Amino acid sequence: MTGDTPGCQACGLKDAEGANFCPSCGEQLANREDEATDSFEVLPTSPHEEDRERFPQGCGLFVVDSGPKAGSRYGLESDLTTVGRHRSADIFLDDVTVSRCHVEVDRSGDRYVVRDVGSLNGTYLNRDRIESGELHDGDELQIGRFKLVFFHGTAT
């Protein structure tokens, strides 16, 4: 990126001075030319294989790959799992980039569907902004600064 005001490489929006994330699409921004766009390490799915054994067969699992709670694991055993910044959320993500009621994950048998419930910053599934989408093994869900990888207990 060149010039005094760097823009978002994903959507082209000019960011505010010192911003770390695009206010439009949530993409991480570089504040200097020598910074990488993504400051997290993308991990292969294989290190999390042992996590599948900790949850019942057929149960979904989120592993936080980046963000303030990197390494945290959440089993999706309920029919409805709420995610947000409100203390009553099933998965509490305490960061201003997360809405109080950000997403819900509906479980129907072995199928998981994530639905944005009116968040301010949006929800991204595999880097695409979504209102709702079905989760598949290895999918990346971005909620604010948090990137969660979805694993399914029945995957081989």
Side-chain angles (χ1 to χ4, degrees), residues 77-91:
E77 299 178 65
S78 300
D79 289 337
L80 179 69
T81 302
T82 58
V83 183
R85 191 169 36 96
H86 195 277
R87 293 209 180 268
S88 68
D90 298 315
I91 299 176

Side-chain angles (χ1 to χ4, degrees), residues 35-64:
E35 286 187 63
T37 303
D38 292 319
S39 62
F40 61 93
E41 178 184 354
V42 178
L43 300 174
T45 58
S46 58
H48 304 294
E49 289 298 320
E50 70 276 2
D51 292 317
R52 293 183 205 275
E53 298 170 9
R54 296 181 187 173
F55 294 92
Q57 185 173 11
C59 180
L61 168 71
F62 279 137
V63 177
V64 181

Side-chain angles (χ1 to χ4, degrees), residues 139-156:
D139 281 350
E140 179 186 80
L141 183 68
Q142 182 176 347
I143 300 172
R145 292 177 32 197
F146 298 86
K147 291 194 179 182
L148 301 93
V149 177
F150 176 76
F151 295 96
H152 199 271
T154 61
T156 56

Side-chain angles (χ1 to χ4, degrees), residues 95-122:
D95 189 86
V96 295
T97 61
V98 177
S99 295
R100 285 179 183 87
C101 298
H102 203 105
V103 300
E104 294 178 341
V105 179
D106 291 311
R107 177 184 182 184
S108 178
D110 286 340
R111 185 173 178 252
Y112 289 84
V113 175
V114 63
R115 184 175 16 120
D116 187 295
V117 288
S119 70
L120 183 62
N121 292 327

Side-chain angles (χ1 to χ4, degrees), residues 8-28:
C8 176
Q9 292 180 354
C11 73
L13 183 76
K14 300 294 182 192
D15 72 304
E17 184 68 30
N20 292 321
F21 296 90
C22 176
S24 176
C25 71
E27 184 71 17
Q28 188 170 4

